[in-house]
Amino acid sequence: MFVEVEIPAEAALCREMLEGIPDRPAVFLLWAREGKPYLARTNVLRRRLRKLLNPPGAVVRVEYRPTGSRLEAQFALWERARECLGPEYARQIRLRFPFYVKLGLSNRFPRTRVTAQLGRAGAGCVGPFRNRSTAALFESEFLDLFQLRRCQDDLAPSPDHPGCMYGEMGRCLRPCQQVVGDAEYQSEVKRVAAFLETGGLSLTETTSAARERLSAEMDFEGAAMMHQRLQRITEVVGLRDEMARDVNHLHAITITPSAQPEAVDLGFMRHGYWQGMTPLEFGLMATPLDARLRAAAASAGERSAAPRERME
């Protein structure tokens, strides 16, 4: 909830008004007599406003919301920007989008790509990654475990197609040269989608089962190869950033200080959708804490959002 305060044009009245504003972390919005509003966050609200309102007269109103954590401040800034700054709000608050590794299924011969556009994320969209380089590294390494194509062309399969180095190295099924048909390629696509959706578990389980079977058959050389492959899969999965996983399986709980005294803010993310924050007070607790936590989780609901809002 933002607090709204009118700004007096007289310097003495403005200084008196500022004394009633808390000097604490907050998100604030200045409404000018002319031009666009100014939205920002600060750790010392009163001191920041003293600088911005000296001399007074250009600003007619200030709105502010005390915040208890940087996370709360970032969400408050984003929500207010969407309401007040028009279509260019993302650029004005310097909103940076994370990157994802996405399996595009619209092409006849699907491939993966690194993108900052989440879109309608279905199975096979892994993220968020901190930057493009970490996403590209994960994509390159996990593709070594499969034979999916890496070229970006819209393929026109033909026996005369020149192919590429990955096909020569046995790291691509070479659909461009009609070495495999659509059905065989789609089977590999399904394996890749399962790997991304399960965080590597689908491939880990089959490789582990193969290792155990070969070991039981006394094929120790084959079992050793499967063991090495299992280690490689574990290394590749470990290249993901801490939060990176299939977006539809991205769940999180945040616990941050609250702007309210004797309270914390609980934030919930479900299926890759941010559900907002719920305050949890520790004053007079007539209800047991575990019951209040369950109630807070239930009140968060499971709201969805448009692709753009979800991405932000």
Side-chain angles (χ1 to χ4, degrees):
M1 182 73 69
F2 277 77
V3 178
E4 184 176 319
V5 179
E6 299 295 328
I7 306 298
E10 297 81 1
L13 294 177
C14 184
R15 287 194 297 270
E16 182 179 347
M17 179 275 300
L18 286 173
E19 290 303 317
I21 290 181
D23 205 17
R24 59 177 300 176
V27 171
F28 67 93
L29 180 66
L30 298 180
W31 293 92
R33 294 186 185 278
E34 298 180 359
K36 296 181 179 180
Y38 175 73
L39 178 66
R41 63 182 178 87
T42 179
N43 288 327
V44 280
L45 178 60
R46 188 192 308 151
R47 188 189 310 174
R48 182 76 178 277
L49 290 180
R50 277 181 182 148
K51 293 180 180 179
L52 294 173
L53 300 178
N54 186 22
V59 177
V60 297
R61 187 172 78 253
V62 60
E63 299 175 14
Y64 67 89
R65 171 180 163 179
T67 55
S69 66
R70 183 171 182 177
L71 183 66
E72 181 189 4
Q74 287 292 97
F75 274 107
L77 187 76
W78 168 69
E79 290 168 355
R80 204 72 177 108
R82 285 167 56 89
E83 296 170 355
C84 302
L85 299 188
E88 296 297 316
Y89 68 88
R91 181 183 60 81
Q92 293 187 46
I93 64 173
R94 299 179 182 179
L95 184 61
R96 295 175 56 192
F97 297 131
F99 289 90
Y100 304 86
V101 174
K102 192 171 184 179
L103 177 62
L105 300 175
S106 59
N107 194 282
R108 176 184 172 188
F109 299 103
R111 62 178 180 85
T112 62
R113 62 191 177 100
V114 174
T115 177
Q117 300 299 315
L118 186 56
R120 296 179 180 177
C125 184
V126 174
F129 289 86
R130 285 194 178 90
N131 51 55
R132 176 178 284 276
S133 62
T134 58
L137 175 63
F138 172 71
E139 179 194 35
S140 175
E141 295 296 319
F142 99 77
L143 283 176
D144 285 346
L145 303 173
F146 299 95
Q147 291 183 293
L148 208 67
R149 74 182 182 103
R150 308 192 193 203
C151 57
Q152 301 182 9
D153 306 330
D154 286 330
L155 298 183
S158 167
D160 299 324
H161 195 285
C164 68
M165 58 178 285
Y166 292 106
E168 298 298 326
M169 296 166 61
R171 295 185 178 181
C172 176
L173 290 175
R174 296 191 289 174
C176 57
Q177 298 175 318
Q178 294 184 325
V179 175
V180 298
D182 289 29
E184 293 171 281
Y185 191 83
Q186 288 297 328
S187 177
E188 188 72 353
V189 169
K190 291 178 180 178
R191 292 180 65 235
V192 171
F195 176 86
L196 296 176
E197 186 175 2
T198 63
L201 189 61
S202 61
L203 197 57
T204 299
E205 289 179 341
T206 56
T207 305
S208 180
R211 182 187 63 180
E212 299 304 319
R213 176 179 55 80
L214 291 169
S215 179
E217 295 173 356
M218 309 294 282
D219 185 353
F220 299 118
E221 184 177 349
M225 291 179 61
M226 288 297 103
H227 182 72
Q228 291 177 358
R229 180 170 172 79
L230 193 60
Q231 289 180 317
R232 176 61 180 152
I233 295 168
T234 303
E235 291 174 0
V236 170
V237 172
L239 292 174
R240 300 177 302 172
D241 287 349
E242 302 91 88
M243 287 185 64
R245 65 202 62 233
D246 183 274
V247 173
N248 292 325
H249 296 163
L250 181 57
H251 308 284
I253 299 175
T254 67
I255 306 174
T256 57
S258 174
Q260 302 179 29
E262 298 185 19
V264 296
D265 286 330
L266 302 178
F268 297 90
M269 177 173 284
R270 290 174 174 164
H271 305 290
Y273 292 97
W274 179 247
Q275 308 296 326
M277 288 182 165
T278 302
L280 181 66
E281 299 180 1
F282 295 98
L284 299 175
M285 292 197 301
T287 308
L289 181 59
D290 62 338
R292 299 178 67 205
L293 287 170
R294 293 176 186 275
S299 67
E302 288 200 23
R303 64 177 290 271
S304 59
R308 169 80 182 192
E309 182 180 343
R310 187 188 192 192
M311 183 173 68
E312 292 178 356

